[in-house]
């Protein structure tokens, strides 16, 4: 598990702005900070990839450069992750993309379930997957997303990326995942509250990025 906030970096500044109620109401700034966190995580995840040497021609001579041996498949858990996902796509700009729609169903008092809607993805067989979902709260939506992915093939490895996580979600993921994965986080917060929202968290990332939903 890799946690950006464990070390001093500019990522902590962007995370602070996303949490701060005086700043986060600026939707464009909130979306951009989500995108920035995706870019920083893309860079960190790229260090774990395999690389090959490729010959190139400069205006003066030939030389070699290390390039990724393969491109990942980036899968976004909509809707909140769309700016976060775009940060990854900015760096892995030749990657294929997939999309999964997930939402909380709170229609039953005292019970929260996760419903999946839209799903579109290229082949995942033998691929490196980056699964982007900015908030890892209960972990239920990520497990549902992973199970949906596995219906369409067996990836080589899944990199799960979230900006903020709760300890309960990390534990749920550990207990219920049936695949090889790595976890990349911006920060680990204190806990979930009685509504299963992350504390201190930042609020509803989807609403902050795109406005309230019906």
């Amino acid at each position: 598990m890799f946690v950006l906030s464990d070390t001093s970096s500019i990522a902590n500044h962007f995370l602070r702005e996303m949490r701060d109620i005086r700043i986060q109401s600026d939707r464009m700034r909130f979306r951009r900070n989500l995108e920035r966190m995706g870019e920083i995580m893309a860079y960190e995840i790229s260090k774990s990839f395999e690389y090959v040497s490729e010959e190139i021609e400069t205006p003066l001579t030939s030389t070699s450069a290390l390039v990724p041996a393969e491109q990942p498949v980036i899968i976004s858990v909509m809707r909140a992750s769309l700016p976060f996902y775009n940060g990854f796509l900015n760096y892995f700009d030749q990657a294929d993309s997939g999309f999964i729609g997930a939402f909380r169903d709170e229609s039953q008092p005292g019970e929260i379930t996760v419903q999946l809607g839209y799903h579109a993805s290229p082949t995942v067989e033998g691929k490196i997957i980056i699964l982007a979902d900015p908030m890892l709260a209960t972990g239920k939506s990520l497990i549902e997303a992973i199970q949906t992915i596995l219906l369409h093939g067996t990836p080589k490895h899944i990199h799960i990326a979230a900006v903020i996580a709760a300890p309960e979600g990390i534990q749920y993921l550990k207990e219920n995942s049936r695949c090889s994965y790595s976890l990349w986080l911006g920060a680990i917060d204190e806990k979930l509250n009685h509504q299963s929202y992350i504390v201190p968290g930042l609020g509803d990332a989807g609403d902050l990025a795109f406005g309230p939903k019906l």
Side-chain angles (χ1 to χ4, degrees), residues 109-130:
E111 182 180 355
I112 298 175
T113 59
V114 174
Q115 302 292 330
L116 296 186
Y118 181 78
H119 173 235
S121 175
T123 180
V124 299
E125 185 67 35
K127 298 286 189 177
I128 295 172
I129 306 297
I130 297 176

Side-chain angles (χ1 to χ4, degrees), residues 149-166:
I149 291 169
L150 295 179
L151 291 175
H152 301 279
T154 303
K156 179 188 296 183
H157 191 76
I158 298 179
H159 295 278
I160 299 170
V163 176
I164 298 176

